[in-house]
Amino acid sequence: MTEGEQMTLVIGIGNPDRGDDAVGLVVAREVRAAAPADIAVIELGGDQLALLDAWDGDADVYVVDAICSGSAAGSVYRFDAAVPLGGDFSHRGTHLFSLADVIELARALGRLPARLTGFGIEGAGYELGAPLSPEAEVAVRSVAGQILGELTEGR
């Protein structure tokens, strides 16, 4: 990569100790294990506002997080942040600020990456110490596969 060239970044968000809230982190680990060497992958726990700094300077970003919307466990929602997310994604996260909230804040501040693709995975449970549900495990493999497929297209 040359100086000034922007990277592709994959960000997994979640809490590894709260059941399906870990889906973003697990997707990030699967992508890291199989992605081309020039793809950066980070795991982010805690404050979602840290996304603003995490993706700063990156042109192409994928972000994955658990959602809690009442839909069927394992449902996957994909969105392109080039389009305002509106009410469909507001308050669907498992954190104080949802991923949609942070994206819309970044849009207002002019701090969105050139391309931001998000995935929300509906969890079945978020109990302390619980493993991923079977539905979340299937969704994790699907989302990691989609991201890896896009990262390796045209290479």
Side-chain angles (χ1 to χ4, degrees), residues 7-12 27-29 31-33 35 39-43 151:
M7 287 181 47
T8 297
L9 174 64
V10 177
I11 304 171
V27 168
R29 291 171 193 153
V31 169
R32 180 182 294 118
I39 305 300
V41 180
I42 62 172
E43 297 176 31
L151 292 175

Side-chain angles (χ1 to χ4, degrees), residues 142-155:
S142 173
V143 170
Q146 287 179 58
I147 293 171
L148 286 166
E150 292 177 26
L151 292 175
T152 57
E153 273 180 12
R155 287 183 180 246

Side-chain angles (χ1 to χ4, degrees), residues 50-141:
L51 286 167
L52 297 174
D53 292 325
W55 65 42
D56 191 40
D58 293 307
D60 191 12
V61 177
Y62 292 86
V63 63
V64 184
D65 195 10
I67 61 170
C68 185
S69 69
S71 294
S75 296
V76 175
Y77 300 91
R78 180 188 175 124
F79 58 88
D80 178 351
V83 178
L85 302 180
D88 288 346
F89 287 96
S90 293
H91 310 295
R92 286 190 167 201
T94 60
H95 311 278
L96 179 60
F97 288 100
S98 73
L99 178 56
D101 294 335
V102 175
I103 288 170
E104 294 310 319
L105 176 61
R107 185 184 321 281
L109 296 173
R111 295 187 62 189
L112 273 179
R115 181 175 169 267
L116 175 60
T117 302
F119 290 90
I121 299 174
E122 185 76 33
Y126 303 94
E127 295 80 22
L128 187 61
L132 286 184
S133 68
E135 299 90 346
E137 288 180 9
V138 169
V140 160
R141 285 191 298 276

